[in-house]
Amino acid sequence: MTHFHKIALTTVALASLSVAAPAFADPVNIQLWAVDRTGQPAPQIVDDFNKSQSDIHVEYRQLQFSDLLSDVMRAYAVGKAPDIYAVDVPFNALMASKGALYDMTDMVKGSDVIHIDDYYPGPVASATWDGKLYGVPKSTNTIALYYNEDMFKAAGIAEPPKTWDELVDDARKLTDKDKGVYGLAFSAEATEEGTFQFLPWVQMAGGSWQKVNGEGGVKALTVWKTILDEGLASPDTISRSQWDSTSTFISGNAAMSISGPWELDRMSKEAKFDWKVALLPVPEEGAERSSAMGDYNWVMFKSTKHPKEAFKVLEYIASQDPEMFQRYGQLPPEENVDIPSTGNPNMDEALATFQEQLKYAKPRGPSPEWPAISKAIQDALQQALTGAETPQAALDQAQAKIDKVVN
């Protein structure tokens, strides 16, 4: 055999081996955007998912909350939207109404992992538009009434207030202007947080975001105005966030605070008194309960080229929900998830209360016009609470704006 023939045969053999060798396909790349920073769910769960298999690789991008909606809609407009996005719940309907989101109704129905009937009604409603499901709840939260048990005992108050009248009466007893202590802390600032805190009051009194200027809405805003006019809450309630308002409570300068479960860790570490959490007071005994509902939904953009793979990522994320509170301090969106004891009796009791409150939590909207609706409500709060308008006049103006954008 000539040297040439040996080389030729070797070349053929190598070529045969090359043809016979298995081809390793590149993983499908999925883009996922959210506001979660280090220590919060998204980046860690994405990392866990990528380590768990090799068929799909998820790239995570952290967004700033202030740019959350504008950044992603700009990306969608130029064809560069992510496959998966965590949307602030009041804006889910807006994006769905614009045709930007993937209809996940059939995918969820056929899923062995995501059982939508196990979720709280509020989060599911926030992800639903025109009878179809355009999102899967990521986590959830609500608001309830924190109260200083030590101050209550000192004032001879045996239990937290159950009605609005009791709330105002207790706030009067607990306010001590000489010591700089207010009866109540809450947020009425001109942002989504103000709407978030006020809307449940309207709903409990029989109103809604579609009808804010009825008897219920006026009664709710009149109670808020009474609390501020009498100095039962700090004058800067109209300009402070929920976080800052709760700081007043934690520092011992307010006897009660309306806030959410995101404060539990801070409360357990910083509060130097016996604190507890109760359901939000209702207008009168037997009235309908309500509360705010917040956090995010996972959505898929309609432009995704890999819907099946993106949905597999969402199924993996949903499968981690039972550990949502233990790992990240966030409440899972399913009703049937048991949260193990934290070892802190006050926190365990508070968690049970927040989970009960979530049964009554309602979404803001859903409506594609939510930003304009919320702004109308915020303006009404500012006008009434500063004395520029009566509660009725302020809410009449808000209703006119709402009617204009939804009709």
Side-chain angles (χ1 to χ4, degrees), residues 117-378:
D117 290 341
D118 292 340
Y119 287 67
Y120 288 104
V124 176
S126 75
T128 303
W129 177 249
D130 199 23
K132 297 178 181 179
L133 194 67
Y134 288 96
V136 174
K138 174 180 181 286
S139 56
T140 192
N141 63 47
T142 188
I143 51 176
L145 183 72
Y146 286 88
Y147 64 100
N148 185 320
E149 178 75 355
D150 294 338
M151 287 187 181
F152 269 60
K153 288 180 179 178
I157 303 172
E159 59 184 9
K162 293 183 173 62
T163 67
W164 292 357
D165 285 344
E166 291 177 2
L167 177 70
V168 174
D169 188 50
D170 288 348
R172 287 170 178 149
K173 295 176 182 176
L174 293 160
T175 296
D176 189 334
K177 296 180 180 179
D178 291 336
K179 295 182 178 179
V181 176
Y182 295 99
L184 180 65
F186 63 101
S187 174
E189 71 171 351
T191 68
E192 190 66 29
E193 291 193 14
T195 307
F196 185 74
Q197 291 234 332
F198 180 66
L199 197 54
W201 291 63
V202 177
Q203 293 162 344
M204 286 188 283
S208 67
W209 64 265
Q210 297 100 325
K211 185 65 175 176
V212 297
N213 68 332
E215 182 180 349
V218 174
K219 180 177 181 179
L221 189 48
T222 299
V223 173
W224 274 31
K225 183 168 172 55
T226 297
I227 291 170
L228 282 175
D229 285 351
E230 293 188 17
L232 309 180
S234 172
D236 61 3
T237 296
I238 62 173
S239 60
R240 285 193 306 177
S241 67
Q242 294 176 105
W243 178 269
D244 291 333
S245 296
T246 308
S247 295
T248 303
F249 175 76
I250 292 175
S251 67
N253 294 113
M256 296 180 284
S257 177
I258 297 174
S259 197
W262 57 83
E263 296 286 10
L264 288 172
D265 186 59
R266 183 164 71 129
M267 200 75 66
S268 64
K269 292 177 180 177
E270 298 180 18
K272 307 301 182 184
F273 51 84
D274 187 17
W275 57 271
K276 293 185 178 180
V277 179
L279 297 177
L280 288 180
V282 293
E284 60 273 326
E285 289 283 357
E288 176 185 1
R289 289 196 179 279
S290 183
S291 188
M293 194 217 78
D295 225 290
Y296 298 85
N297 294 331
W298 292 115
V299 299
M300 289 164 43
F301 270 92
K302 194 174 182 178
S303 57
T304 178
K305 296 179 181 178
H306 307 288
K308 292 182 180 179
E309 289 83 0
F311 190 71
K312 285 182 180 179
V313 175
L314 292 187
E315 287 186 313
Y316 180 86
I317 294 172
S319 74
Q320 307 303 302
D321 285 351
E323 298 181 4
M324 185 65 69
F325 187 80
Q326 299 96 295
R327 293 183 68 182
Y328 309 108
Q330 297 183 7
L331 292 182
E334 298 95 336
E335 286 194 61
N336 60 349
V337 173
D338 293 325
I339 298 177
S341 174
T342 64
N344 182 327
N346 278 7
M347 185 176 287
D348 290 345
E349 185 179 326
L351 280 168
T353 301
F354 278 117
Q355 287 185 297
E356 174 69 18
Q357 188 78 80
L358 273 168
K359 295 178 181 179
Y360 314 108
K362 298 180 181 179
R364 284 156 284 163
S367 170
E369 305 298 338
W370 187 253
I373 293 166
S374 183
K375 180 63 165 59
I377 294 171
Q378 296 162 29

